[in-house]
Amino acid sequence: MAAIRPPSTVSAWQPSVPGIAEVFHARFTDHAYPAHVHDTWTLMILDGGRVDFALDGERHGLGVSDAVVLLPPGVSHDGRTVTEAGFRKRVLYLDSSVLPERLTGAAVDTPLLADPALRERVHGLHLALAERDPFEAQSRLAFVRERLHRRLAGRAAEGPGTGTGTGRVPVPVPVPGARVAVRLRELLDARVAEGITLAEASAELGYPHPTHLIRSFKAAYGLPPHAYLTGRRVELARRLLLAGVRPAEAATAAGFYDQAHLTRHFGRHVGTSPARFARSGRT
């Protein structure tokens, strides 16, 4: 008889702690994240099982250990369960007031930080956040930030490189069309909710062939423009839901056609429904 898998669970909330955009705790037994990006830093510790993820095209694996995962903003990554037992994780989404984007290259080169002291600090921060104690959480965040800067600043100081241990920038390597890819990304970021057609983007950027835009963007960022925009819309919906906006209203405010459209993509990116996600932080 096959073993009964424990149910997947999610708990998420926005703490009243400057620098932390979201706290996300989850148990997943059978889930695969599509390639996507965040506009925040992703700081993760694993409490059970194993997880496999690709960052900027390079795969990494992690089990329960003293390691901490740090994924930078604006760099494509995915994630998936490895065993039938799934995995349990705790995640903090941190904004640029905690870690500046200039450290992105160092984080791309070393997303797994084997650092018991850092993991213990992150664990303590989660405990303070779960207790809804903002003063203690702010204090613990300061020590997490200090440790992260210490680990990354030396690598960033080595200078820009091509992913061989010397750090990278958000467009990791010189690729044909990198400049137009950056311009298209800026255009998508400015119009997350209202969106833009491929024809409009081509005209505004002065490229008569839309396929060139798509190929250039994917070469620079690891995913096509429509997937990037969908991920940004899911990120916006997450913030709205945790702020108390109802799922139907959050869907249209984030640029989705309706609640069903949001629900379909939200499940792929977050591993739960918008309604359950919104309720999770209030339980």
Side-chain angles (χ1 to χ4, degrees):
M1 178 181 294
I4 298 176
R5 293 184 177 184
S8 294
T9 60
V10 165
S11 178
W13 69 96
Q14 286 180 325
S16 54
V17 178
I20 303 179
E22 181 183 318
V23 183
F24 185 78
H25 295 180
R27 174 201 291 272
F28 290 128
T29 55
D30 184 17
H31 183 64
Y33 290 99
H36 63 287
V37 301
H38 295 286
D39 57 4
T40 55
W41 292 83
T42 302
L43 182 64
M44 181 180 81
I45 57 176
L46 209 63
D47 293 316
R50 291 192 60 82
V51 66
D52 176 88
F53 68 94
L55 176 67
D56 196 34
E58 183 174 348
R59 299 220 69 86
H60 304 270
L62 176 70
V64 178
S65 67
D66 290 327
V68 173
V69 177
L70 181 66
L71 307 180
V75 181
S76 174
H77 61 277
D78 62 14
R80 64 192 182 192
T81 55
V82 177
T83 67
E84 288 190 358
F87 62 91
R88 291 183 293 114
K89 67 176 182 177
R90 286 178 288 169
V91 182
L92 299 174
Y93 293 101
L94 309 174
D95 65 30
S96 59
S97 68
V98 179
L99 290 174
E101 290 193 12
R102 64 178 175 81
L103 298 177
T104 292
V108 170
D109 284 341
T110 314
L112 296 177
L113 302 175
D115 187 334
L118 174 60
R119 193 192 192 283
E120 186 61 27
R121 290 184 184 186
V122 174
H123 170 69
L125 175 53
H126 275 283
L127 294 181
L129 290 166
E131 292 293 329
R132 303 301 204 269
D133 186 334
F135 186 72
E136 180 182 353
Q138 290 168 20
S139 302
R140 291 186 178 276
L141 176 61
F143 283 100
V144 169
R145 177 185 181 276
E146 178 186 65
R147 191 78 179 185
L148 288 171
H149 273 259
R150 185 179 304 170
R151 291 298 305 262
L152 297 179
R155 298 188 64 86
E158 295 175 13
T162 57
T164 56
T166 54
R168 284 191 275 194
V169 293
V171 177
V173 294
V175 295
R179 185 179 299 276
V180 71
V182 171
R183 293 174 62 199
L184 177 55
R185 178 172 174 168
E186 292 172 346
L187 189 59
L188 294 174
D189 287 343
R191 300 181 60 170
V192 170
E194 59 268 41
I196 189 171
T197 68
L198 195 56
E200 289 171 339
S202 298
E204 184 156 341
L205 298 177
Y207 277 77
H209 303 294
T211 53
H212 176 72
L213 280 180
I214 297 171
R215 290 193 180 102
S216 298
F217 193 94
K218 187 172 183 180
Y221 296 113
L223 70 172
H226 72 271
Y228 174 83
L229 182 59
T230 296
R232 291 302 312 276
R233 285 174 168 170
V234 169
E235 291 287 294
L236 176 55
R238 289 173 79 141
R239 291 194 289 268
L240 293 170
L241 290 166
L242 292 181
V245 178
R246 294 187 303 174
E249 297 169 351
T252 55
F256 292 97
Y257 179 73
D258 55 18
Q259 186 174 343
H261 189 203
L262 168 63
T263 298
R264 183 166 64 253
H265 288 292
F266 202 89
R268 293 180 63 238
H269 281 258
V270 187
T272 189
S273 71
R276 288 176 179 173
F277 178 83
R279 290 196 302 268
S280 67
R282 300 193 290 268
T283 57

